[in-house]
Amino acid sequence: MRLAFLSAALLATTAFAADFPRVIFSDDFSAEGFGKAWGHYKSSSVVKDGMLIGITAPTSDHSAVDNIKFTGEKDLQVAVKFRFTSDKAKSFNVWFDDKNYKGSHAGHICQATISPTGVNLADAKTGGFDLSNGLYERKKANQLTDDEKKMLAGKQKRIPAKISLNEWHTLVVTTQGDSISVSIDGKEVGSFQSAGIAHDTKSLVSLTTNPVDVHYDDFSIKGVAK
């Protein structure tokens, strides 16, 4: 599990290498424990046996978050191998955030949520985490108007999928302009277009485990050529 910020000269080997040739960060989890680049929020996750094991503590009020921070960029590609190891693994998220952005809760910009039954793509910046006009607080308090509920429904897209348990799969999440797209095992699952996704300075990528029994390997963040 080498952990490294790799040079711009290192080329990606995915199908999208022509668009995202520059590796910003990579970890194959062959080292013992998390490297210094990793940050955590309410996480009990561990690196063991050549993989990241996502763990939310039973007493935690928030899913386990394990993240990487870097200089902000607009267009990014995140790849990770994953497997759900039991029916306790409800889902995991790949979050794109900007902690310097104060217009959304926790600087959330957009996300892809992967579960055994489907993929959900969402614009958090102008959707459910938008702090303007008290929207986020009203959502938490179940005080949204019908018009607001309709608006928020348009800020996300659910795509049915069937993902087998106890098998490794390769996920690629790409943001380009105002679009976020997902492929699994080399096959396109779907994409979603929304204004907030075009945020210029996405500077933190997180793996969020909901709640346990998700394993990860070969994690990378790539950028477009400069």
Side-chain angles (χ1 to χ4, degrees):
M1 273 172 230
R2 297 179 309 274
L3 175 63
F5 284 92
L6 301 178
S7 73
L10 183 60
L11 296 179
T13 57
T14 70
F16 302 94
D19 294 328
F20 292 87
R22 183 169 47 87
V23 180
I24 298 169
F25 175 84
S26 178
D27 195 347
D28 66 2
F29 304 111
S30 59
E32 185 174 346
F34 283 100
K36 292 181 179 180
W38 283 96
H40 311 279
Y41 179 72
K42 297 192 175 182
S43 173
S44 295
S45 300
V46 297
V47 170
K48 184 180 178 181
D49 298 330
M51 59 190 169
L52 190 166
I53 301 173
I55 302 172
T56 300
T59 56
S60 179
D61 62 352
H62 193 285
S63 298
V65 178
D66 303 293
N67 55 50
I68 295 295
K69 189 174 183 179
F70 49 95
T71 301
E73 300 192 20
K74 182 177 182 178
D75 297 328
L76 295 166
Q77 186 176 89
V78 174
V80 66
K81 292 181 180 177
F82 72 93
R83 67 179 177 186
F84 299 115
T85 63
S86 82
D87 57 8
K88 294 180 181 179
K90 303 304 180 185
S91 66
F92 71 93
N93 311 83
V94 177
W95 271 107
F96 298 83
D97 297 341
D98 178 359
K99 296 305 182 184
N100 292 323
Y101 178 67
K102 305 305 179 185
S104 65
H105 174 71
H108 288 323
I109 303 302
C110 59
Q111 66 163 316
T113 302
I114 314 300
S115 77
T117 58
V119 171
N120 195 73
L121 304 175
D123 172 356
K125 178 181 176 180
T126 66
F129 290 83
D130 186 359
L131 294 176
S132 63
N133 300 314
L135 180 67
Y136 173 72
E137 294 300 329
R138 288 199 306 281
K139 186 190 77 166
K140 285 204 306 180
N142 295 316
Q143 296 175 348
L144 294 174
T145 66
D146 289 342
D147 285 344
E148 287 172 332
K149 291 177 182 178
K150 184 178 180 180
M151 182 276 292
L152 290 181
K155 295 294 182 178
Q156 58 185 326
K157 181 179 181 180
R158 172 74 178 176
I159 305 165
K162 188 174 182 180
I163 301 173
S164 58
L165 299 182
N166 293 307
E167 292 183 342
W168 285 102
H169 302 277
T170 299
L171 170 71
V172 178
V173 184
T174 305
T175 67
Q176 284 189 293
D178 63 356
S179 178
I180 183 170
S181 61
V182 164
S183 73
I184 296 177
D185 297 333
K187 297 180 180 179
E188 183 178 352
V189 175
S191 62
F192 176 61
Q193 191 172 19
S194 185
I197 298 168
H199 187 79
D200 283 333
T201 51
K202 304 175 188 76
S203 55
L204 187 140
V205 168
S206 301
L207 295 173
T208 302
T209 304
N210 313 304
V212 293
D213 289 351
V214 185
H215 296 173
Y216 309 93
D217 201 358
D218 295 337
F219 173 79
S220 67
I221 304 168
K222 302 182 181 74
V224 298
K226 285 189 174 181

